[in-house]
Amino acid sequence: MDLVNHLEGRLLFAVPKKGRLQQATLDLLAGCDVQFRRETRLDIALVKNLPIALIFLPAADIPTFVGEGRVDIGITGRDQVAEHDAQLPPGQVSSVEEIMDLGFGGCKLQVQVPVKGSFESAKDLIGRNVVTSFTALAGQFFAGLEGESDAPKKTSIKYVGGSVEAACALGVADGIVDLVGAFPSPSELMNFFKNGLTNAESGETMKAAGLKAIDTVVTSTAVLVKSKNATNPLVDLLTSRVRGVITAQKYVLCQYNIPRAELATASGITPGKRAPTITALEEEGWVAVSSMVEKKNIATVMDELSKVGASDILVLNIANSRTG
């Protein structure tokens, strides 16, 4: 198959080929009805029902491909976008535009040091050896600390592509800058019970290496990004679909009956994304209310509705959505 000819006229969508963001990204694409089959060992998959080609790339490379306009749109970590932008020459504006925060893949890029060592703050590492995969962000971070310090020392930032956490134990570094998982989102918790969190997501790698976090360089989640030069109208279509799926994952539909006299109070509890939907019941003095509520708040919302006289409270999952 001549892939070059097959890619012509298609929107190119970069997705992580492995790592902590891949499965959540694939689940998101399924929710967007992006149908494809990826052949073994092939990093290009043609979408069956839309003129789109998925390009499987390391998450760290996606901002570069998007920024250079090699692909139109992509999903990666905000940390990777920040690292890409930090590498740009002074005065050059990034061509990577963030469309939306996807809410999964939460993590922090943190300064870590040995638990049994004498370092208690990131400033203690000024003039020392620091190992990381994020050399540009780490360099910016320590340059800022050096600017605040009276000591004319320069911190040595060295690149290591993997097993960064082993650098201190092996005597290569005094400290490291590496990713540590933040508390998972509700959907990631479900994946935890199904598949288990990776070491990076749970922070176990840091603990096992005898390290502790003493400062945060960047807080990150997965983001949908596009090239500022992208003109394909499918970018807007995909953005709408992704936003609909993310909203559906975040909200549930809460339906209940309430005396009209208590409607204002109940509407304050369930204001919805725009406004609750109100329908008159056959029983005089009562109305039915339907409103979108964030999943994380639904138990408290139901308790509060019960206190103000609501009855027949139902909670329904939202499979997909298009909201304002």
Side-chain angles (χ1 to χ4, degrees):
M1 180 174 64
D2 188 346
L3 281 175
V4 175
N5 291 334
H6 279 74
L7 292 180
E8 187 174 352
R10 289 179 178 265
L11 176 136
L12 303 185
F13 192 155
V15 298
K17 67 183 298 182
K18 59 182 180 179
R20 61 190 176 87
L21 300 182
Q22 188 194 49
Q23 188 56 54
T25 298
L26 296 180
D27 292 343
L28 180 59
L29 292 176
C32 295
D33 193 30
V34 174
Q35 303 172 17
F36 69 96
R37 178 180 176 181
R38 183 187 179 189
E39 300 295 338
T40 305
R41 297 182 180 275
L42 193 61
D43 288 339
I44 297 177
L46 303 182
V47 175
K48 301 175 184 179
N49 57 332
L50 289 167
I52 297 171
L54 302 181
I55 314 297
F56 290 84
L57 298 168
D61 293 343
I62 289 176
T64 299
F65 280 79
V66 172
E68 294 182 357
R70 306 298 180 181
V71 297
D72 302 286
I73 194 170
I75 291 175
T76 187
R78 184 175 282 124
D79 54 316
Q80 301 292 356
V81 177
E83 175 71 8
H84 167 269
D85 291 352
Q87 294 174 7
L88 296 175
Q92 182 174 333
V93 178
S94 174
S95 293
V96 181
E97 179 180 334
E98 181 179 320
I99 301 175
M100 75 178 80
D101 186 329
L102 300 177
F104 60 81
C107 63
K108 293 180 179 180
L109 184 63
Q110 294 188 308
V111 181
Q112 302 169 37
V113 295
V115 172
K116 297 181 179 180
S118 60
F119 304 118
E120 294 298 329
S121 73
K123 289 184 177 180
D124 294 336
L125 289 173
I126 293 176
R128 303 278 187 165
N129 293 321
V130 175
V131 163
T132 182
S133 300
F134 295 81
T135 53
L137 285 174
Q140 283 187 348
F141 179 81
F142 280 99
L145 295 180
E146 290 161 3
E148 299 171 1
S149 173
D150 296 331
K153 297 179 180 179
K154 184 72 174 177
T155 308
S156 173
I157 309 295
K158 298 180 181 179
Y159 176 82
V160 171
S163 301
V164 177
E165 68 281 349
C168 292
L170 296 175
V172 177
D174 299 296
I176 67 171
V177 175
D178 200 14
L179 292 175
V180 178
F183 192 79
S185 67
S187 61
E188 288 175 314
L189 279 175
M190 292 303 294
N191 285 332
F192 169 79
F193 291 118
K194 284 177 61 180
N195 309 311
L197 289 171
T198 66
N199 286 341
E201 288 170 328
S202 63
E204 289 303 313
T205 299
M206 177 179 66
K207 297 173 186 176
L211 301 172
K212 64 180 179 180
I214 57 173
D215 212 331
T216 298
V217 178
V218 168
T219 299
S220 177
T221 56
V223 290
L224 180 67
V225 296
K226 71 173 184 178
S227 168
K228 289 183 178 178
N229 300 318
T231 58
N232 194 313
L234 282 175
V235 170
D236 292 334
L237 174 67
L238 281 172
T239 298
S240 178
R241 288 192 180 188
V242 169
R243 184 173 286 112
V245 173
I246 295 298
T247 300
Q249 292 174 348
K250 186 178 180 181
Y251 288 85
V252 291
L253 189 65
C254 182
Q255 297 179 335
Y256 58 91
N257 298 330
I258 190 81
R260 187 175 289 276
E262 301 297 333
L263 177 58
T265 302
S267 295
I269 298 170
T270 59
K273 283 204 54 134
R274 180 172 295 173
T277 300
I278 315 297
T279 307
L281 294 179
E282 290 294 329
E283 184 174 351
E284 186 175 351
W286 282 76
V287 295
V289 180
S290 180
S291 183
M292 292 175 67
V293 176
E294 285 194 75
K295 283 183 181 179
K296 64 182 181 180
N297 299 326
I298 189 60
T300 302
V301 166
M302 294 175 73
D303 293 339
E304 293 178 356
L305 288 174
S306 296
K307 289 178 182 178
V308 299
S311 64
D312 306 315
I313 305 171
L314 302 176
V315 177
L316 308 175
N317 285 325
I318 302 172
N320 212 325
S321 70
R322 292 290 190 277
T323 60

